[in-house]
Amino acid sequence: MSGRTGGGLFTRPHTPVGTWLKIASTEPAEVMAFAGFDFVVVDLEHAPLDLVTAYRLINTAAALGVTPIVRVPDKTPSTIQKILDAGAMGILVPHVDTVEEAAAVGRACRFPPHGGRGAGGTSRAGAWGLRATSEYLATGNDDVLCIPQLESVEAIKAAPEMLALDAVDAVFVGAADLSMSMGSTPAAPDVLDLIASAIAAAHDAGKKCGLAFGGVPDKAAQAVRDGCDFVLLSNDTTMLAEAARGLVTAFREAVS
């Protein structure tokens, strides 16, 4: 069982709700904080964000009491290390299909003897060298969340073994990619059965399982009632696009 909380994310009195950040500016991170989101996921996989922008988004979110998580573009330990030293409180890793891959990702998130992450105490995570080394190392090993993303049938089947790893704190089911890999849809019964099995595996291990739902809060709420532990709703770009189109459509209808 993992006791890591990601800066208190998993100790809140309600189900944590987050959103994706894809815009290369800090203002959306501020907006999401003021809107009441518990966490944000800076998306380096599906958005044109670089490490410097990710760093600024992490800092902005953390300063406003929002847990900053980063979806890295790959499983490279050097990328994970830079993101964690930038102050991220969690790493979401796409396309983790095997227990061996999960173990490697977990090692990249932890300092020795629990992993292979290099010490960078003069980084933001170490308060620019002002934080005691023992505190910097303890935070890295005891608080930062490692979350593999399950996006294939192979990954779902390996979930119990992944979740048995001490370095893994939760899993996140990417229902869109999972269903595409099956030639199916996210709402299909066979896909829903696999998602339910991942949730059950997480709970059997005393850990968490998360899902994303676009801009459909009712479906997210039902998933929570069915056992999901944390959810992502929409993203900054889609929220802006939908609000903009809604305004234009309403105006055209009003004057027609």
Side-chain angles (χ1 to χ4, degrees):
M1 178 181 295
S2 169
R4 303 181 190 98
T5 64
L9 180 64
F10 289 151
T11 59
R12 299 182 187 230
H14 53 263
T15 302
V17 57
T19 191
W20 306 95
L21 295 182
K22 298 174 179 287
I23 297 174
S25 172
T26 58
E27 282 81 3
E30 295 181 49
V31 170
M32 301 314 167
F34 298 143
F37 283 99
D38 300 295
F39 69 99
V40 291
V41 180
V42 179
D43 192 359
L44 298 188
E45 184 191 19
H46 287 300
L49 305 179
D50 58 21
L51 284 171
V52 173
T53 303
Y55 176 94
R56 290 171 178 161
L57 289 168
I58 291 166
N59 190 37
T60 300
L64 293 170
V66 176
T67 299
I69 295 174
V70 176
R71 177 158 68 176
V72 291
D74 51 49
K75 307 175 187 74
T76 308
S78 60
T79 299
I80 292 173
Q81 179 167 291
K82 288 179 181 178
I83 289 298
L84 290 179
D85 275 338
M89 295 308 300
I91 297 290
L92 183 64
V93 187
H95 299 290
V96 178
D97 294 316
T98 67
V99 66
E100 291 80 11
E101 290 177 343
V105 167
R107 287 193 298 272
C109 290
R110 311 293 172 217
F111 295 113
H114 309 288
R117 178 183 168 188
T122 56
S123 64
R124 182 180 178 275
W128 313 115
L130 299 179
R131 177 172 290 169
T133 299
S134 59
E135 182 185 353
Y136 164 71
L137 297 177
T139 300
N141 281 333
D142 299 337
D143 202 19
V144 169
L145 299 173
C146 174
I147 309 173
Q149 190 161 319
L150 313 180
E151 301 177 88
S152 67
V153 174
E154 180 185 12
I156 298 291
K157 290 181 177 178
E161 292 182 86
M162 293 186 195
L163 287 155
L165 299 169
D166 178 69
V168 170
D169 303 289
V171 291
F172 180 86
V173 181
D177 281 340
L178 172 63
S179 62
M180 283 195 298
S181 75
M182 300 166 62
S184 187
T185 64
D190 53 349
V191 177
L192 294 177
D193 286 344
L194 289 174
I195 293 172
S197 72
I199 293 173
H203 293 175
D204 286 346
K207 297 180 180 179
K208 310 292 186 182
C209 183
L211 295 163
F213 290 92
V216 192
D218 290 346
K219 288 186 178 180
Q222 183 58 54
V224 170
R225 289 190 287 270
D226 292 337
C228 180
D229 302 294
F230 61 101
V231 299
L232 281 153
L233 291 175
S234 196
N235 63 81
D236 52 4
T237 53
T238 300
M239 290 183 204
L240 176 61
E242 289 179 344
R245 184 169 61 183
L247 279 173
V248 172
T249 299
F251 171 74
R252 300 295 186 206
E253 291 175 349
V255 298
S256 63

